[in-house]
Amino acid sequence: MAKKTKPSRKVTRSRSTNSKPSASANASTRTYEIPDYRLERPNFAVSQVRKGDEVRYEVTGDVSAPVPPIRESKYLTRQQHIEIYRWMLLNRKMEAALENLYKQSKVVGGVYFGLGQEACSCASAYALKKDEWLGPMIRNQGSLLVRGFPARDIMMQYMAKAGSPTKGRDASSHFGDIKDRNVVAPISTLGDLIPVLAGVALGARLQGKNIAVMTYIGDGGQSTGVTYEGLNFAAVQNLGLVLFVENNLWGYSTPSDMQFRVKDLAERAIAYGIPGVIVDGTDACQVYDAAHEACERARRGEGPTLIEAKMMRMKGHAIHDAAEYVPRPLFEYWKKRDCITRFEHYLVSVKKWLSSDENRKLIEDVDRELEADRDAAVNSPMPAPETAAPGAYCEDGCHTIKPKYAIPKTRLGKSEMKTSEAAVHLK
Ligand SMILES: Cc1ncc(C[n+]2csc(CCOP(=O)(O)OP(=O)(O)O)c2C)c(N)n1
Ligand SMILES: [Mg+2]
């Protein structure tokens, strides 16, 4: 069951052997522990209020609590803290650049942001070794950076450029790299990455290796059936899956209080028979330490871990969504808990591992890298139309896939069908 460590929450479940009330004397009680590493436990709820035709959300509870400090990491060196901080900065600044590119009509499609979630994306992926595997979701662009994708690749992908990872065939996040960086492309169908990553761990096991594989699911996405199926499979097979449940309080416009009844999503771990842990997703040290411990379990062949990272989606679902439905006090509460500002303060003022001068240079260095990448991405060519088909299903050139465009068979010979009205003919 869940590991016994100090900062934990007890979950008690009574089991009656008989459904009649009188059987309560025979009831036995089991206690499970969910380690909760947060240094504060926010105490508020979001509820739906209807007034006539209008539906809005209200937040009740204490939103004025003081901002918690960063929890000291048990594992990270000074240099590693600074590296994670740099990834987080790059993650945020890249997304700000993408927002501008979108406003300049250079982006094809939408843009998804992980604003406020950079600590979770970057510090989690940082815990993986080079030969281990990651399956990011749309908000985990920071994880992609940590795994070695340059910001240029991500920006080119959003602009559907010829040099992007999918060579312009996809305009947002559906790309990975199964050759060098061990990154499985995100799957939009929520939860489907979980069995895929479990399968990667199983594949490694069949080759005689226990490795850690990591993926993410949101507070909304964890309600899907495939989340249960994938995690249950990993649990019974003892596969080294590290599942981050990113509880950012919203699934589109649905608050998590209307998505599930358990107090903490980490409690779900009890029902899978695996450890569940709660961390503050805005604290890079907590995220890293929990990820590291889960990866170490995975490497020892001890099976999966569910880590619930609590934080807040600081923008709408995607760029088209202004998040008007989110109560303002909630944004204000989480803005004070910004993962980058707090980590910067920790490194510069608390630990004094970065002088103000070094910090400024580091920020300038990130800006320079990003600007160079953005300019290269903007100035790179769009794909030629004839490159659309080859390589969509296999490596470029290894198979020839003949286009099957023709006039539908059923209508062949009927004089009213013009060539311009031809539809795709599937044999
Ligand atoms: C199986 C499935 N159902 C619905 C959707 C549509 N959809 C895409 S994102 C989203 C909300 C996801 O919320 P959450 O899991 O909390 O992730 P977040 O956006 O907060 O990161 C929904 C419903 C989908 N992609 N897949
Ligand atoms: Mg969510």
Side-chain angles (χ1 to χ4, degrees):
M1 271 309 110
K3 223 170 48 180
K4 293 202 177 182
T5 32
K6 270 264 146 66
S8 62
R9 197 166 78 71
K10 279 200 170 127
V11 182
T12 305
R13 292 193 173 169
S14 292
R15 272 206 149 201
S16 171
T17 48
N18 189 319
S19 58
K20 288 178 196 162
S22 60
S24 61
N26 298 328
S28 61
T29 301
R30 298 183 189 183
T31 301
Y32 302 89
E33 291 195 2
I34 302 283
D36 183 348
Y37 292 103
R38 289 174 301 164
L39 294 175
E40 79 165 347
R41 316 273 153 86
N43 187 21
F44 47 70
V46 176
S47 51
Q48 199 181 58
V49 183
R50 284 171 184 270
K51 270 194 194 136
D53 286 345
E54 196 202 337
V55 176
R56 58 190 180 80
Y57 296 112
E58 260 179 21
V59 60
T60 46
D62 183 12
V63 285
S64 64
V67 179
I70 297 289
R71 182 186 271 279
E72 189 135 338
S73 169
K74 286 185 265 176
Y75 309 107
L76 288 169
T77 64
R78 167 189 171 152
Q79 197 47 39
Q80 288 174 321
H81 280 86
I82 295 169
E83 276 175 29
I84 292 175
Y85 169 59
R86 194 184 188 283
W87 289 126
M88 287 161 65
L89 277 171
L90 188 63
N91 182 173
R92 178 160 303 175
K93 284 169 178 279
M94 180 189 69
E95 292 185 5
L98 277 168
E99 185 167 4
N100 288 336
L101 291 170
Y102 178 88
K103 288 175 182 164
Q104 292 162 15
S105 301
K106 293 198 163 84
V107 164
V108 181
V111 177
Y112 296 86
F113 300 105
L115 187 68
Q117 304 188 198
E118 295 91 342
C120 189
S121 291
C122 300
S124 56
Y126 196 83
L128 285 174
K129 291 185 177 163
K130 196 171 183 300
D131 65 341
E132 295 181 321
W133 284 75
L134 178 87
M137 289 293 282
I138 47 169
R139 300 202 194 288
N140 305 118
Q141 300 181 127
S143 320
L144 290 171
L145 296 171
V146 173
R147 271 326 269 181
F149 280 100
R152 187 180 56 245
D153 278 8
I154 300 171
M155 290 192 273
M156 283 202 293
Q157 178 75 13
Y158 269 113
M159 291 187 277
K161 297 288 191 151
S164 72
T166 59
K167 303 190 173 104
R169 295 187 189 101
D170 176 88
S172 64
S173 55
H174 305 103
F175 68 95
D177 175 1
I178 58 171
K179 275 193 196 143
D180 301 318
R181 300 186 180 101
N182 293 2
V183 174
V184 178
I187 305 176
S188 286
T189 324
L190 300 172
D192 277 12
L193 268 180
I194 299 169
V196 172
L197 268 291
V200 172
L202 181 61
R205 156 99 52 83
L206 294 174
Q207 293 170 22
K209 289 177 279 192
N210 279 320
I211 59 163
V213 298
M214 185 181 286
T215 189
Y216 308 82
I217 189 71
D219 46 278
Q222 60 79 38
S223 295
T224 57
V226 71
T227 298
Y228 173 81
E229 293 163 39
L231 190 48
N232 185 59
F233 179 74
V236 294
Q237 293 286 335
N238 249 5
L239 299 169
L241 177 71
V242 179
L243 179 64
F244 265 87
V245 178
E246 297 188 299
N247 184 355
N248 61 8
L249 302 179
W250 297 89
Y252 258 114
S253 54
T254 303
S256 43
D257 287 333
M258 293 178 72
Q259 178 74 226
F260 51 84
R261 285 296 298 268
V262 282
K263 187 169 177 341
D264 300 299
L265 285 170
E267 282 176 35
R268 298 256 197 262
I270 298 165
Y272 292 102
I274 63 172
V277 181
I278 300 170
V279 293
D280 175 350
T282 66
D283 179 336
C285 291
Q286 289 184 38
V287 171
Y288 177 83
D289 282 12
H292 173 75
E293 286 176 5
C295 288
E296 288 290 292
R297 280 193 70 226
R299 291 165 195 145
R300 292 193 299 268
E302 292 173 14
T305 305
L306 187 163
I307 303 170
E308 180 186 5
K310 291 182 191 274
M311 53 206 164
M312 166 81 177
R313 192 193 71 199
M314 293 302 279
K315 273 191 175 278
H317 176 70
I319 201 155
H320 62 268
D321 171 13
E324 294 288 345
Y325 46 83
V326 176
R328 295 299 106 176
L330 213 52
F331 273 133
E332 283 150 29
Y333 175 92
W334 287 101
K335 203 162 179 219
K336 289 188 210 138
R337 284 150 182 79
D338 181 75
C339 59
I340 296 183
T341 318
R342 272 165 62 226
F343 206 39
E344 178 183 36
H345 174 74
Y346 182 69
L347 299 179
V348 175
S349 306
V350 179
K351 288 289 184 188
K352 303 196 190 318
W353 284 339
L354 270 179
S355 69
S356 302
D357 227 30
E358 286 165 335
N359 186 35
R360 190 178 41 78
K361 282 199 188 108
L362 188 150
I363 295 170
E364 281 170 6
D365 185 52
V366 170
D367 282 337
R368 240 192 327 273
E369 174 183 332
L370 196 65
E371 274 165 35
D373 269 24
R374 187 202 52 212
D375 291 350
V378 168
N379 295 325
S380 70
M382 294 299 280
E386 57 273 20
T387 63
Y393 298 102
C394 59
E395 293 308 311
D396 285 351
C398 67
H399 288 76
T400 311
I401 300 171
K402 287 187 188 151
K404 291 183 180 170
Y405 306 117
I407 297 168
K409 253 185 187 167
T410 48
R411 303 186 77 173
L412 271 176
K414 290 195 178 161
S415 55
E416 70 272 20
M417 183 76 184
K418 292 189 200 128
T419 314
S420 60
E421 292 169 348
V424 176
H425 172 48
L426 297 171
K427 278 185 186 161

mmCIF file of all heavy atoms in Angstrom, residues 46-69:
data_model
loop_
_atom_site.group_PDB
_atom_site.id
_atom_site.type_symbol
_atom_site.label_atom_id
_atom_site.label_comp_id
_atom_site.label_asym_id
_atom_site.label_seq_id
_atom_site.Cartn_x
_atom_site.Cartn_y
_atom_site.Cartn_z
ATOM 1 N N VAL A 46 -15.333 25.249 -5.467
ATOM 2 C CA VAL A 46 -15.957 25.975 -6.577
ATOM 3 C C VAL A 46 -17.337 25.361 -6.801
ATOM 4 O O VAL A 46 -17.461 24.146 -6.943
ATOM 5 C CB VAL A 46 -15.098 25.870 -7.860
ATOM 6 C CG1 VAL A 46 -15.797 26.546 -9.033
ATOM 7 C CG2 VAL A 46 -13.714 26.490 -7.643
ATOM 8 N N SER A 47 -18.356 26.202 -6.780
ATOM 9 C CA SER A 47 -19.696 25.660 -7.008
ATOM 10 C C SER A 47 -20.407 26.445 -8.104
ATOM 11 O O SER A 47 -20.073 27.599 -8.387
ATOM 12 C CB SER A 47 -20.507 25.679 -5.717
ATOM 13 O OG SER A 47 -20.442 26.964 -5.176
ATOM 14 N N GLN A 48 -21.376 25.772 -8.691
ATOM 15 C CA GLN A 48 -22.115 26.372 -9.802
ATOM 16 C C GLN A 48 -23.324 27.133 -9.254
ATOM 17 O O GLN A 48 -24.040 26.614 -8.402
ATOM 18 C CB GLN A 48 -22.586 25.267 -10.738
ATOM 19 C CG GLN A 48 -22.945 25.760 -12.103
ATOM 20 C CD GLN A 48 -23.431 24.623 -12.988
ATOM 21 O OE1 GLN A 48 -24.395 23.953 -12.653
ATOM 22 N NE2 GLN A 48 -22.760 24.413 -14.093
ATOM 23 N N VAL A 49 -23.507 28.343 -9.734
ATOM 24 C CA VAL A 49 -24.643 29.143 -9.276
ATOM 25 C C VAL A 49 -25.491 29.474 -10.500
ATOM 26 O O VAL A 49 -24.970 29.926 -11.517
ATOM 27 C CB VAL A 49 -24.151 30.466 -8.640
ATOM 28 C CG1 VAL A 49 -25.317 31.279 -8.094
ATOM 29 C CG2 VAL A 49 -23.130 30.188 -7.552
ATOM 30 N N ARG A 50 -26.783 29.221 -10.401
ATOM 31 C CA ARG A 50 -27.690 29.540 -11.514
ATOM 32 C C ARG A 50 -28.597 30.686 -11.111
ATOM 33 O O ARG A 50 -29.230 30.635 -10.065
ATOM 34 C CB ARG A 50 -28.564 28.336 -11.844
ATOM 35 C CG ARG A 50 -27.847 27.267 -12.587
ATOM 36 C CD ARG A 50 -28.723 26.026 -12.687
ATOM 37 N NE ARG A 50 -27.984 24.951 -13.321
ATOM 38 C CZ ARG A 50 -27.972 24.732 -14.620
ATOM 39 N NH1 ARG A 50 -28.690 25.475 -15.419
ATOM 40 N NH2 ARG A 50 -27.264 23.737 -15.120
ATOM 41 N N LYS A 51 -28.611 31.692 -11.950
ATOM 42 C CA LYS A 51 -29.563 32.790 -11.711
ATOM 43 C C LYS A 51 -30.298 33.018 -13.010
ATOM 44 O O LYS A 51 -29.713 33.511 -13.978
ATOM 45 C CB LYS A 51 -28.819 34.063 -11.307
ATOM 46 C CG LYS A 51 -28.628 34.170 -9.814
ATOM 47 C CD LYS A 51 -28.207 35.557 -9.373
ATOM 48 C CE LYS A 51 -27.700 35.481 -7.938
ATOM 49 N NZ LYS A 51 -26.491 36.229 -7.711
ATOM 50 N N GLY A 52 -31.558 32.600 -13.056
ATOM 51 C CA GLY A 52 -32.306 32.668 -14.309
ATOM 52 C C GLY A 52 -31.607 31.819 -15.349
ATOM 53 O O GLY A 52 -31.306 30.650 -15.115
ATOM 54 N N ASP A 53 -31.281 32.418 -16.489
ATOM 55 C CA ASP A 53 -30.623 31.688 -17.561
ATOM 56 C C ASP A 53 -29.103 31.668 -17.394
ATOM 57 O O ASP A 53 -28.395 30.975 -18.109
ATOM 58 C CB ASP A 53 -30.937 32.347 -18.921
ATOM 59 C CG ASP A 53 -32.376 32.047 -19.332
ATOM 60 O OD1 ASP A 53 -32.981 31.141 -18.723
ATOM 61 O OD2 ASP A 53 -32.886 32.744 -20.239
ATOM 62 N N GLU A 54 -28.629 32.463 -16.455
ATOM 63 C CA GLU A 54 -27.170 32.606 -16.326
ATOM 64 C C GLU A 54 -26.576 31.537 -15.400
ATOM 65 O O GLU A 54 -27.120 31.240 -14.343
ATOM 66 C CB GLU A 54 -26.870 34.001 -15.750
ATOM 67 C CG GLU A 54 -25.442 34.430 -15.918
ATOM 68 C CD GLU A 54 -25.049 35.522 -14.918
ATOM 69 O OE1 GLU A 54 -25.971 36.223 -14.437
ATOM 70 O OE2 GLU A 54 -23.861 35.628 -14.619
ATOM 71 N N VAL A 55 -25.491 30.942 -15.837
ATOM 72 C CA VAL A 55 -24.777 29.960 -15.011
ATOM 73 C C VAL A 55 -23.373 30.498 -14.793
ATOM 74 O O VAL A 55 -22.694 30.887 -15.739
ATOM 75 C CB VAL A 55 -24.690 28.588 -15.720
ATOM 76 C CG1 VAL A 55 -23.851 27.613 -14.896
ATOM 77 C CG2 VAL A 55 -26.060 28.016 -15.973
ATOM 78 N N ARG A 56 -22.964 30.561 -13.534
ATOM 79 C CA ARG A 56 -21.576 30.973 -13.296
ATOM 80 C C ARG A 56 -21.024 30.205 -12.105
ATOM 81 O O ARG A 56 -21.764 29.489 -11.421
ATOM 82 C CB ARG A 56 -21.461 32.484 -13.107
ATOM 83 C CG ARG A 56 -22.284 33.025 -12.003
ATOM 84 C CD ARG A 56 -22.315 34.545 -12.013
ATOM 85 N NE ARG A 56 -23.125 35.001 -10.906
ATOM 86 C CZ ARG A 56 -22.690 35.080 -9.654
ATOM 87 N NH1 ARG A 56 -21.444 34.766 -9.372
ATOM 88 N NH2 ARG A 56 -23.490 35.466 -8.687
ATOM 89 N N TYR A 57 -19.713 30.345 -11.895
ATOM 90 C CA TYR A 57 -19.074 29.623 -10.795
ATOM 91 C C TYR A 57 -18.643 30.593 -9.717
ATOM 92 O O TYR A 57 -18.221 31.718 -9.999
ATOM 93 C CB TYR A 57 -17.849 28.857 -11.308
ATOM 94 C CG TYR A 57 -18.204 27.778 -12.294
ATOM 95 C CD1 TYR A 57 -17.829 27.883 -13.627
ATOM 96 C CD2 TYR A 57 -18.932 26.670 -11.885
ATOM 97 C CE1 TYR A 57 -18.168 26.895 -14.530
ATOM 98 C CE2 TYR A 57 -19.275 25.672 -12.782
ATOM 99 C CZ TYR A 57 -18.896 25.795 -14.110
ATOM 100 O OH TYR A 57 -19.225 24.819 -14.992
ATOM 101 N N GLU A 58 -18.754 30.106 -8.499
ATOM 102 C CA GLU A 58 -18.337 30.920 -7.363
ATOM 103 C C GLU A 58 -17.333 30.141 -6.534
ATOM 104 O O GLU A 58 -17.430 28.914 -6.421
ATOM 105 C CB GLU A 58 -19.547 31.203 -6.464
ATOM 106 C CG GLU A 58 -20.130 32.571 -6.690
ATOM 107 C CD GLU A 58 -21.340 32.803 -5.791
ATOM 108 O OE1 GLU A 58 -21.501 32.114 -4.755
ATOM 109 O OE2 GLU A 58 -22.133 33.666 -6.171
ATOM 110 N N VAL A 59 -16.389 30.858 -5.941
ATOM 111 C CA VAL A 59 -15.438 30.177 -5.072
ATOM 112 C C VAL A 59 -15.761 30.535 -3.632
ATOM 113 O O VAL A 59 -16.021 31.694 -3.314
ATOM 114 C CB VAL A 59 -13.968 30.515 -5.464
ATOM 115 C CG1 VAL A 59 -13.677 31.991 -5.379
ATOM 116 C CG2 VAL A 59 -12.981 29.741 -4.610
ATOM 117 N N THR A 60 -15.808 29.497 -2.785
ATOM 118 C CA THR A 60 -16.058 29.747 -1.360
ATOM 119 C C THR A 60 -14.899 29.159 -0.568
ATOM 120 O O THR A 60 -14.329 28.140 -0.949
ATOM 121 C CB THR A 60 -17.367 29.066 -0.892
ATOM 122 O OG1 THR A 60 -17.387 27.736 -1.397
ATOM 123 C CG2 THR A 60 -18.590 29.819 -1.346
ATOM 124 N N GLY A 61 -14.550 29.817 0.523
ATOM 125 C CA GLY A 61 -13.437 29.333 1.348
ATOM 126 C C GLY A 61 -12.362 30.391 1.453
ATOM 127 O O GLY A 61 -12.541 31.526 1.006
ATOM 128 N N ASP A 62 -11.230 29.979 2.000
ATOM 129 C CA ASP A 62 -10.166 30.932 2.307
ATOM 130 C C ASP A 62 -9.205 31.083 1.129
ATOM 131 O O ASP A 62 -8.409 30.196 0.849
ATOM 132 C CB ASP A 62 -9.418 30.429 3.552
ATOM 133 C CG ASP A 62 -8.342 31.398 3.977
ATOM 134 O OD1 ASP A 62 -8.333 32.539 3.465
ATOM 135 O OD2 ASP A 62 -7.508 31.008 4.820
ATOM 136 N N VAL A 63 -9.282 32.227 0.457
ATOM 137 C CA VAL A 63 -8.346 32.454 -0.661
ATOM 138 C C VAL A 63 -7.301 33.514 -0.283
ATOM 139 O O VAL A 63 -6.617 34.047 -1.143
ATOM 140 C CB VAL A 63 -9.071 32.868 -1.974
ATOM 141 C CG1 VAL A 63 -9.759 31.698 -2.616
ATOM 142 C CG2 VAL A 63 -10.028 34.019 -1.742
ATOM 143 N N SER A 64 -7.181 33.774 1.031
ATOM 144 C CA SER A 64 -6.251 34.840 1.431
ATOM 145 C C SER A 64 -5.022 34.297 2.174
ATOM 146 O O SER A 64 -4.236 35.072 2.715
ATOM 147 C CB SER A 64 -6.981 35.840 2.326
ATOM 148 O OG SER A 64 -7.382 35.169 3.508
ATOM 149 N N ALA A 65 -4.867 32.971 2.196
ATOM 150 C CA ALA A 65 -3.764 32.360 2.961
ATOM 151 C C ALA A 65 -2.404 32.834 2.445
ATOM 152 O O ALA A 65 -2.259 33.146 1.260
ATOM 153 C CB ALA A 65 -3.866 30.840 2.840
ATOM 154 N N PRO A 66 -1.395 32.894 3.331
ATOM 155 C CA PRO A 66 -0.063 33.312 2.873
ATOM 156 C C PRO A 66 0.555 32.278 1.936
ATOM 157 O O PRO A 66 0.238 31.089 2.005
ATOM 158 C CB PRO A 66 0.748 33.406 4.181
ATOM 159 C CG PRO A 66 -0.018 32.599 5.176
ATOM 160 C CD PRO A 66 -1.456 32.609 4.761
ATOM 161 N N VAL A 67 1.428 32.747 1.058
ATOM 162 C CA VAL A 67 2.055 31.872 0.047
ATOM 163 C C VAL A 67 3.049 30.926 0.729
ATOM 164 O O VAL A 67 3.873 31.382 1.536
ATOM 165 C CB VAL A 67 2.780 32.745 -1.007
ATOM 166 C CG1 VAL A 67 3.461 31.882 -2.046
ATOM 167 C CG2 VAL A 67 1.789 33.694 -1.657
ATOM 168 N N PRO A 68 2.984 29.641 0.434
ATOM 169 C CA PRO A 68 3.903 28.700 1.107
ATOM 170 C C PRO A 68 5.315 28.773 0.516
ATOM 171 O O PRO A 68 5.484 29.171 -0.634
ATOM 172 C CB PRO A 68 3.285 27.338 0.792
ATOM 173 C CG PRO A 68 2.605 27.539 -0.511
ATOM 174 C CD PRO A 68 2.119 28.959 -0.529
ATOM 175 N N PRO A 69 6.315 28.370 1.313
ATOM 176 C CA PRO A 69 7.675 28.317 0.757
ATOM 177 C C PRO A 69 7.839 27.100 -0.148
ATOM 178 O O PRO A 69 6.940 26.272 -0.265
ATOM 179 C CB PRO A 69 8.544 28.175 2.007
ATOM 180 C CG PRO A 69 7.659 27.557 3.031
ATOM 181 C CD PRO A 69 6.256 27.948 2.711
#
